[in-house]
Amino acid sequence: MLSERLQEELKANPGSHPFDEILYCNIGNPQSLGQQPITFFREVLALCDHPAITGADAIERAWQILDQIPGRATGAYSHSQGIKGLRDTIAAGIEARDRYPADPNDIFLTNGASPAVHMMMQLLISSEKDGILCPIPQYPLYSASIALHGGTLVPYFLDEASGWGLETSELKKQLEDAKSKGINVRALVVINPGNPTGQVLAEDNQRQIVDFCKQEGLVLLADEVYQQNVYVPDKEFHSFKKVSRSMGYGEQDISLVSFQSVSKGYYGECGKRGGYMEVTGISPEVREQVYKMASVNLCSNISGQILASLVMSPPKVGDESYEMYLAEKDGILSSLARRAKALEEALNSLEGVTCNRAEGAMYLFPCITLPQNAIKAAEAATTAPDAFYCRRLLNATGIVVVPGSGFGQVPGTWHFRCTILPQEDKIPAIVTRLTDFHKSFMDEFRD
Amino acid sequence: MLSERLQEELKANPGSHPFDEILYCNIGNPQSLGQQPITFFREVLALCDHPAITGADAIERAWQILDQIPGRATGAYSHSQGIKGLRDTIAAGIEARDRYPADPNDIFLTNGASPAVHMMMQLLISSEKDGILCPIPQYPLYSASIALHGGTLVPYFLDEASGWGLETSELKKQLEDAKSKGINVRALVVINPGNPTGQVLAEDNQRQIVDFCKQEGLVLLADEVYQQNVYVPDKEFHSFKKVSRSMGYGEQDISLVSFQSVSKGYYGECGKRGGYMEVTGISPEVREQVYKMASVNLCSNISGQILASLVMSPPKVGDESYEMYLAEKDGILSSLARRAKALEEALNSLEGVTCNRAEGAMYLFPCITLPQNAIKAAEAATTAPDAFYCRRLLNATGIVVVPGSGFGQVPGTWHFRCTILPQEDKIPAIVTRLTDFHKSFMDEFRD
């Protein structure tokens, strides 16, 4: 843009133009031009976020961030990709995580991960002939977004018997099947750690997936919002970007989008609607398209942008806030790990129920073998058998879980998704009530 | 939902179920279940919003708001329409403004007004046969959103000679013309106060528009984001809902959507991405559709929601913060009025330039009669004549304005949009530079 170029020229070379500053009379963005926020409004917002500030490094970090925002205006529209300084921080955080370079220009900050997913679907889908490979079971954002944009969901099934493993032979089979129906498969969605399935992919398996996408020319859409949620010592999160780069694949080899959110991890700031996608291996023309889509809603909310930079750059050893931060983080993650274990064990002790480990994410997805009598009763009530079970559970115990049919499952199998999020002191009650309910349910319907 | 019903039954009638609380194991929403936010993250966010809190009533208001949020969790996903307590506050604010009832269930909180506009377009448009009547000139969000959803923009021209008046004869003519082409016109967009045109509609004119929509069965999409930006003593903002109700039209007579934003007014909090739409006169089925669309992205950001409640319920006479609030508000609005006047007078003093008053909003939209030589020079540079003028202005003076062609204009006329937002001490420099530039431009190209 001409005004940006002139701005830079004036900065680099004062006196190079017949004016000494650019006067922006083009956009209705008051605080970018020095209008001060209404004090009362900001006081209330700050108090709602946090009632008291003690950490000196928090104050320092806030000033650092404010200095990265043009005019320190947190109330101004930002660059549609997000504030450049925050994208620098995020790129540095990705580099520290992966030990491979990250470019701030590849980062698009969004109101949570969902709008980023919608943007990619909008870009990839132009008709029902465009297909997207999605895991079954899957977080229904993907099916909803594909439907919204008029594309075709090409399902691939995760293998419950191998801990919700992802077999490339299954990917290949479903891809060929879709091709034979005239579907142009554009991309592969992988959720790692898995939602609703809770598995953490082995690095080896990730390499196979990367190779599959490279060979088939698919965009790899990596939902990595649970990257901080790993609960078992034998598994570790590896980003698909790190795995691809470690295989020697660069920008020209594979198109890769990684989604991250402030809503998950140990932070769990769902209400702040912050997130980003890192888009690599796409052409300048496609990037321009992504940018245009980002511009339609002007920018994502600045608090969410700031929070996205914080989760990718938390306090470090030696910082005043580090010990408290670490205690909070470890407290949350170790408690989640204990809750996952307790619920998994309880579920596996139930008649006809098997449940894989929650290695990561926030969910257990047990398989329930329902008696024929229960299936018949569900049919009589014109509801799916798993929904029938979940409704009875809720009515009897007050426990709310989600039927597997909302996520997709192998036909004839029945599941539900149970989060590990109720506070730890509630877990014993959940275990007891669930166990008692299940026993009486089976007694009522046992064949 | 069953769990909500059970929750209410437990509250109304403890002991009515074999459990004393609902245990939510269904959604990955940690802070809704008591997980505490990471202190450092919240400290930084609060400090970025506001470095120091002094107002006792701000503290009180923050607690009031926190008490309206289930579990005081500003970091949890909210109801997809927005937090109920905040919608109550907004509905009360609308009632106080209009003196007609408002229903919190009609309010949908969104990340700024833009996503609300997109939601309505998605709802109204299912093919290119669906048309939306839009003003020319218009804020290009509307043309972009209609294009995005595959509909047809049916233009109606605002009458520059009568201060950008809106003639229902023009609406009627364009509607009939569209009908004759097989377009099913679904809705009418009115921006009041106007963007980019700055007019404030007379109440009389609004009544004609309401009658037109009622007669033709059109949804009235009222962009009222500049409702606080009125600068002339002879004009006043009236919401279309108030006007409709004052004519005796209720829910069954007219479908009406009012868009509001925290980005405009005296508050100008663009970066917070807060806003809402009030949707009245639609069927329960259509409301359900709107709710589904809102659910796809879970909820809008909570800070934006809080801010939307604050702008519709600012401090009142007697509150500790009232005097400061009023001084800030009046300071901003009276300064904007002076800036509008100074720029309008400067523009009208230029050769071949006429400029209507900025009665409201944040813009002036002067008409420039360009010499034939300038038009030829623009053609030679393969650019629109108004874009040519604006580019020369920027290169010569550093002043950035937007060519009229970005908003639409009567063919053969040329305009630009100039905001009134540069800080007041910059206005004399803008006037001088613009005047000098225009003189030399005319000297260079005069026929």
Side-chain angles (χ1 to χ4, degrees):
Chain A
M1 233 170 94
L2 177 58
S3 58
E4 282 167 13
R5 209 193 68 214
L6 291 174
Q7 179 93 291
E8 277 161 28
E9 287 171 5
L10 278 177
K11 198 175 160 194
N13 196 359
S16 58
H17 289 279
F19 42 85
D20 55 7
E21 64 175 332
I22 305 292
L23 294 163
Y24 291 94
C25 300
N26 52 332
I27 305 176
N29 190 5
Q31 296 187 19
S32 75
L33 298 172
Q35 180 177 308
Q36 291 306 302
I38 299 296
T39 306
F40 177 80
F41 293 175
R42 286 305 185 91
E43 287 192 348
V44 175
L45 282 186
L47 287 163
C48 287
D49 270 346
H50 196 71
I53 316 289
T54 53
D57 57 339
I59 296 171
E60 195 187 318
R61 179 71 77 93
W63 282 114
Q64 271 174 25
I65 288 170
L66 289 170
D67 284 339
Q68 289 170 339
I69 301 177
R72 292 185 178 163
T74 60
Y77 295 128
S78 74
H79 186 289
S80 292
Q81 271 185 257
I83 291 159
K84 174 63 165 57
L86 300 179
R87 286 186 281 128
D88 290 341
T89 304
I90 290 169
I94 295 172
E95 287 190 3
R97 182 194 69 196
D98 292 346
R99 308 274 160 212
Y100 288 97
D103 184 342
N105 294 320
D106 292 342
I107 311 285
F108 290 78
L109 284 152
T110 49
N111 290 314
S114 307
V117 170
H118 292 309
M119 280 165 70
M120 288 314 299
M121 292 303 171
Q122 196 183 327
L123 188 75
L124 288 163
I125 295 168
S126 59
S127 82
E128 57 185 0
K129 289 285 167 203
D130 291 317
I132 310 288
L133 271 160
C134 284
I136 301 294
Q138 53 117 14
Y139 178 53
L141 167 67
Y142 293 95
S143 45
S145 189
I146 292 167
L148 199 65
H149 293 98
T152 296
L153 187 151
V154 179
Y156 67 88
F157 286 85
L158 299 173
D159 181 32
E160 185 161 12
S162 67
W164 300 111
L166 200 169
E167 297 288 331
T168 46
S169 58
E170 164 72 4
L171 292 176
K172 186 81 186 163
K173 183 178 136 239
Q174 299 293 354
L175 176 70
E176 294 308 325
D177 187 46
K179 276 186 185 170
S180 74
K181 291 175 185 152
I183 305 293
N184 176 21
V185 180
R186 307 288 314 272
L188 168 71
V189 172
V190 180
I191 310 174
N192 179 47
N195 178 3
T197 41
Q199 86 284 20
V200 177
L201 292 178
E203 202 174 348
D204 215 37
N205 198 183
Q206 291 185 271
R207 279 197 209 98
Q208 295 165 351
I209 295 163
V210 168
D211 264 330
F212 176 78
C213 288
K214 184 176 183 301
Q215 278 158 26
E216 304 292 346
L218 300 178
V219 178
L220 177 49
L221 301 174
D223 182 333
E224 299 181 325
V225 302
Y226 295 100
Q227 56 188 264
Q228 293 283 347
N229 298 94
V230 178
Y231 308 117
V232 290
D234 56 324
K235 286 289 181 82
E236 206 181 326
F237 170 77
H238 303 284
S239 78
F240 270 103
K241 182 158 160 247
K242 173 180 147 189
V243 171
S244 311
R245 297 293 177 267
S246 75
M247 295 166 76
Y249 296 149
E251 292 270 344
Q252 67 292 347
D253 298 304
I254 184 163
S255 301
L256 178 60
V257 184
S258 167
F259 302 100
Q260 165 68 319
S261 167
V262 306
S263 303
K264 308 301 170 186
Y266 53 89
Y267 18 93
E269 294 275 14
C270 305
K272 297 294 170 190
R273 311 313 296 123
Y276 72 80
M277 59 177 176
E278 184 192 14
V279 185
T280 57
I282 59 166
S283 67
E285 296 73 42
V286 176
R287 169 186 305 277
E288 188 55 34
Q289 287 271 75
V290 179
Y291 182 71
K292 264 193 192 164
M293 286 188 295
S295 311
V296 172
N297 284 322
L298 300 152
C299 67
S300 64
N301 85 86
I302 305 296
S303 297
Q305 292 191 27
I306 292 171
L307 204 44
S309 83
L310 293 173
V311 307
M312 297 308 286
S313 169
K316 286 177 186 52
V317 184
D319 290 353
E320 188 184 315
S321 290
Y322 181 72
E323 280 187 36
M324 179 169 61
Y325 154 77
L326 194 68
E328 290 172 340
K329 173 183 169 176
D330 285 352
I332 289 168
L333 289 176
S334 59
S335 170
L336 285 173
R338 288 192 298 272
R339 296 179 232 175
K341 192 82 201 136
L343 287 168
E344 177 208 318
E345 284 172 1
L347 287 163
N348 275 315
S349 75
L350 304 180
E351 176 186 357
V353 174
T354 56
C355 184
N356 280 320
R357 290 195 301 176
E359 300 173 338
M362 298 177 167
Y363 314 102
L364 290 155
F365 199 63
C367 181
I368 359 169
T369 308
L370 291 171
Q372 279 306 315
N373 288 336
I375 293 171
K376 274 182 212 145
E379 272 166 17
T382 61
T383 173
D386 48 7
F388 178 78
Y389 179 91
C390 294
R391 171 169 282 262
R392 294 279 295 232
L393 175 67
L394 173 54
N395 273 314
T397 65
I399 299 173
V400 192
V401 297
V402 187
S405 31
F407 305 93
Q409 51 200 345
V410 170
T413 68
W414 308 109
H415 300 77
F416 61 84
R417 188 184 82 167
C418 179
T419 70
I420 57 172
L421 292 175
Q423 289 302 290
E424 207 166 351
D425 59 357
K426 307 274 188 203
I427 301 293
I430 291 174
V431 167
T432 310
R433 291 191 205 170
L434 180 64
T435 305
D436 293 348
F437 162 78
H438 189 78
K439 199 182 295 256
S440 70
F441 182 92
M442 294 302 279
D443 286 347
E444 182 176 349
F445 291 104
R446 193 174 287 106
D447 296 321
Chain B
M1 233 168 95
L2 176 58
S3 57
E4 283 167 12
R5 208 193 69 211
L6 290 174
Q7 179 93 290
E8 279 161 28
E9 287 171 5
L10 279 178
K11 200 175 159 193
N13 196 0
S16 58
H17 288 279
F19 42 84
D20 56 6
E21 64 176 331
I22 305 293
L23 293 163
Y24 291 94
C25 300
N26 53 334
I27 305 175
N29 190 4
Q31 295 186 20
S32 74
L33 297 173
Q35 181 175 306
Q36 291 306 301
I38 298 296
T39 306
F40 178 80
F41 294 174
R42 286 303 186 91
E43 288 192 348
V44 175
L45 283 186
L47 287 162
C48 287
D49 270 346
H50 196 71
I53 315 291
T54 53
D57 57 338
I59 297 171
E60 195 186 317
R61 179 71 76 92
W63 283 115
Q64 271 173 24
I65 289 171
L66 288 171
D67 285 339
Q68 290 170 337
I69 302 177
R72 292 185 178 163
T74 61
Y77 296 128
S78 74
H79 186 288
S80 292
Q81 273 186 254
I83 291 158
K84 174 63 167 56
L86 301 178
R87 286 187 282 127
D88 290 340
T89 305
I90 290 169
I94 294 171
E95 287 190 2
R97 181 194 69 195
D98 292 345
R99 307 275 159 211
Y100 289 97
D103 183 342
N105 294 320
D106 292 341
I107 312 283
F108 290 78
L109 284 152
T110 49
N111 290 313
S114 307
V117 170
H118 291 310
M119 278 164 71
M120 289 313 299
M121 293 303 172
Q122 195 183 325
L123 188 74
L124 289 162
I125 296 168
S126 59
S127 82
E128 57 185 1
K129 289 285 168 203
D130 290 318
I132 311 288
L133 270 161
C134 284
I136 302 293
Q138 55 116 10
Y139 178 53
L141 166 66
Y142 294 95
S143 46
S145 189
I146 293 167
L148 198 67
H149 294 97
T152 296
L153 187 152
V154 180
Y156 67 88
F157 287 87
L158 300 174
D159 181 32
E160 185 161 12
S162 67
W164 300 112
L166 199 168
E167 297 289 332
T168 45
S169 57
E170 164 72 4
L171 292 177
K172 187 80 187 162
K173 183 178 136 239
Q174 299 291 355
L175 176 70
E176 294 307 326
D177 188 47
K179 277 186 185 169
S180 73
K181 290 176 187 151
I183 305 293
N184 176 21
V185 180
R186 308 288 312 273
L188 168 72
V189 173
V190 180
I191 309 174
N192 179 45
N195 177 4
T197 42
Q199 86 283 20
V200 177
L201 293 178
E203 204 175 346
D204 215 38
N205 199 181
Q206 291 185 270
R207 280 196 209 100
Q208 295 164 351
I209 295 164
V210 168
D211 264 331
F212 176 78
C213 288
K214 183 175 183 301
Q215 279 157 26
E216 304 292 345
L218 300 177
V219 178
L220 178 48
L221 302 174
D223 181 335
E224 299 181 324
V225 302
Y226 296 101
Q227 57 188 263
Q228 292 284 347
N229 299 96
V230 178
Y231 308 117
V232 292
D234 56 325
K235 286 289 180 83
E236 207 180 326
F237 170 77
H238 303 284
S239 77
F240 269 103
K241 182 158 160 246
K242 174 179 144 189
V243 171
S244 311
R245 297 294 177 266
S246 75
M247 296 166 75
Y249 297 148
E251 293 270 344
Q252 67 292 348
D253 298 305
I254 184 163
S255 302
L256 178 60
V257 184
S258 167
F259 301 101
Q260 165 67 320
S261 167
V262 305
S263 303
K264 309 301 169 186
Y266 55 89
Y267 18 91
E269 295 273 15
C270 305
K272 298 294 170 189
R273 312 312 295 124
Y276 72 81
M277 58 178 177
E278 185 192 12
V279 185
T280 57
I282 57 167
S283 67
E285 296 73 41
V286 175
R287 170 187 304 277
E288 188 54 33
Q289 286 272 75
V290 178
Y291 181 72
K292 265 195 192 161
M293 285 189 294
S295 312
V296 172
N297 284 320
L298 300 154
C299 68
S300 65
N301 83 86
I302 306 295
S303 297
Q305 292 190 26
I306 293 171
L307 203 44
S309 83
L310 293 173
V311 307
M312 296 308 286
S313 170
K316 287 178 184 51
V317 184
D319 291 353
E320 188 185 317
S321 290
Y322 181 72
E323 280 187 35
M324 179 169 62
Y325 154 76
L326 194 69
E328 289 173 340
K329 173 183 169 176
D330 285 352
I332 288 167
L333 289 176
S334 59
S335 170
L336 286 172
R338 288 192 298 272
R339 295 179 233 175
K341 193 80 201 140
L343 287 169
E344 176 207 319
E345 283 172 1
L347 287 163
N348 276 316
S349 75
L350 302 180
E351 178 185 355
V353 174
T354 56
C355 184
N356 280 322
R357 289 194 303 175
E359 299 173 339
M362 298 178 167
Y363 314 103
L364 291 155
F365 199 63
C367 180
I368 359 169
T369 309
L370 290 170
Q372 280 305 315
N373 287 335
I375 292 170
K376 276 182 210 146
E379 272 165 17
T382 61
T383 172
D386 50 5
F388 178 78
Y389 179 92
C390 293
R391 171 170 282 261
R392 294 278 296 235
L393 175 67
L394 173 53
N395 273 314
T397 65
I399 299 172
V400 192
V401 297
V402 186
S405 30
F407 306 92
Q409 51 200 344
V410 170
T413 68
W414 308 109
H415 300 77
F416 61 85
R417 188 185 82 166
C418 179
T419 71
I420 58 172
L421 291 175
Q423 289 302 290
E424 207 166 350
D425 60 355
K426 307 274 189 204
I427 301 292
I430 291 173
V431 167
T432 310
R433 289 191 206 170
L434 179 65
T435 306
D436 292 350
F437 163 77
H438 189 79
K439 199 181 294 257
S440 71
F441 182 92
M442 294 303 279
D443 287 346
E444 184 177 347
F445 291 105
R446 194 175 286 107
D447 297 324

